[in-house]
């Protein structure tokens, strides 16, 4: 019999143990996994789909797929890598459908890099102005990430923002490691134009994952899990 997951102690439970509990029929363990990795998985989906609402939908579907197939997780890679691959596959599938639809109904293009003003005058001063400038830098960086070519954006998000290794990124996106390196290098070159050293200060806060969005995704998935056949 599966022991109930202690709510307060779930933060100390390893991903692998939580995954084993899910495979044995413990939805609470899956909720803990979702809350632990929600921001990373949302960022992964959004980097591919370039749209908040579409990314949320893709993430929910990916979570349901993961819940149904988690028995296949053997621990050869980190759980977060396994889960990100599921999310990326779902997002890429949706992207392919968008491309096919775009052949019939053209989609509105995103922001071009040359539309973003790269000028940030002055140095990073100490005091209240620092937070405001960093917030401005985060917004500018988000626009520049959105303006990256579709092939570069997921690589940059996984490598620079989520700090996956080259090998993990290659596994998630199912592309060669050499391609990850070249795309990441090109993405950084594009983003660093006009930002210089300030860009490093803005990585952590891009595409903030608010508690409301986290709760909404988790609640929706848990409702659907409750309807799953046992």
């Amino acid at each position: 019999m599966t022991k109930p997951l202690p709510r307060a102690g779930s933060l100390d439970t390893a991903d692998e143990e939580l995954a084993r509990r899910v495979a044995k029929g413990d939805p609470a363990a899956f909720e803990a996994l979702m809350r632990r990795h929600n921001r990373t998985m949302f960022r992964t989906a959004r980097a591919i789909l370039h749209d908040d609402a579409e990314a949320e939908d893709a993430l929910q579907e990916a979570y349901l797929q993961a819940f149904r197939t988690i028995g296949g997780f053997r621990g050869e890679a980190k759980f977060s890598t396994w889960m990100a691959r599921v999310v990326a596959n779902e997002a890429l599938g949706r992207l392919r459908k968008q491309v096919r639809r775009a052949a019939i109904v053209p989609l509105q293009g995103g922001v071009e890099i040359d539309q973003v003003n790269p000028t940030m005058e002055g140095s990073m001063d100490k005091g209240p102005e620092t937070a405001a400038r960093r917030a401005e830098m985060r917004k500018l960086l988000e626009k520049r990430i959105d303006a990256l070519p579709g092939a570069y954006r997921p690589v940059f998000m996984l490598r620079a923002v989520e700090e996956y290794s080259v090998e993990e990124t290659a596994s998630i996106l199912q592309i060669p490691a050499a391609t990850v390196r070249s795309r990441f290098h090109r993405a950084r070159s594009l983003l660093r134009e006009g930002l210089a050293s300030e860009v490093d200060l803005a990585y952590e806060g891009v595409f903030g994952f608010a508690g409301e969005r986290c709760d909404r995704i988790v609640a929706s998935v848990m409702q659907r899990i409750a309807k799953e056949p046992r």
Side-chain angles (χ1 to χ4, degrees):
M1 182 178 178
T2 303
K3 295 181 180 179
L5 183 70
R7 189 173 185 84
S10 61
L11 293 176
D12 299 324
T13 307
D15 284 353
E16 292 73 17
E17 173 60 25
L18 290 172
R20 283 193 290 268
R21 294 190 186 191
V22 176
K24 292 179 180 179
D26 185 356
F30 194 69
E31 180 176 356
L33 284 170
M34 283 193 291
R35 291 190 178 280
R36 183 175 293 177
H37 298 289
N38 232 347
R39 184 173 67 173
T40 295
M41 299 308 144
F42 173 76
R43 284 172 165 175
T44 299
R46 193 196 181 286
I48 294 170
L49 291 166
H50 210 183
D51 180 86
D52 283 8
E54 188 73 12
E56 284 195 27
D57 288 345
L59 182 55
Q60 291 186 34
E61 290 302 322
Y63 276 144
L64 287 171
Q65 292 174 29
F67 180 78
R68 294 164 184 159
T69 62
I70 201 166
F73 172 64
R74 303 302 180 192
E76 290 91 352
K78 293 189 301 185
F79 174 81
S80 60
T81 302
W82 180 84
M83 186 68 241
R85 189 182 303 124
V86 176
V87 173
N89 285 341
E90 173 66 24
L92 288 168
R94 288 170 178 251
L95 185 62
R96 284 190 287 270
K97 291 179 182 177
Q98 288 180 5
V99 171
R100 287 195 293 269
R101 288 197 299 266
I104 302 172
V105 182
L107 299 177
Q108 182 177 355
V111 179
E112 297 295 335
I113 282 186
D114 58 9
Q115 291 178 303
V116 181
N117 180 7
T119 304
M120 291 292 293
E121 297 180 357
S123 60
M124 299 296 285
D125 299 326
K126 295 181 180 180
E129 291 186 0
T130 300
R133 289 190 178 184
R134 287 187 179 180
E136 185 177 354
M137 287 296 298
R138 282 195 294 270
K139 291 179 181 179
L140 178 56
L141 182 57
E142 287 177 356
K143 289 180 181 179
R144 284 184 170 271
I145 291 174
D146 271 347
L148 285 173
Y152 297 159
R153 194 167 54 247
V155 171
F156 180 83
M157 289 295 295
L158 290 171
R159 288 283 293 117
V161 180
E162 298 303 335
E163 298 183 340
Y164 281 99
S165 69
V166 170
E167 291 72 20
E168 288 170 335
T169 302
S171 175
I172 291 167
L173 298 177
Q174 300 181 39
I175 57 177
T179 302
V180 170
R181 293 188 182 93
S182 62
R183 289 180 182 178
F184 182 54
H185 176 75
R186 179 57 178 155
R188 284 177 65 91
S189 296
L190 291 172
L191 288 166
R192 282 188 176 277
E193 292 176 4
L195 295 177
S197 61
E198 288 94 339
V199 73
D200 293 325
L201 300 174
Y203 282 160
E204 186 176 353
V206 298
F207 299 125
F209 196 84
E212 182 181 353
R213 173 176 284 151
C214 178
D215 289 341
R216 181 172 63 250
I217 290 175
V218 170
S220 178
V221 173
M222 293 304 293
Q223 288 175 4
R224 296 174 69 177
I225 285 176
K227 298 176 182 178
E228 290 281 308
R230 300 292 177 86

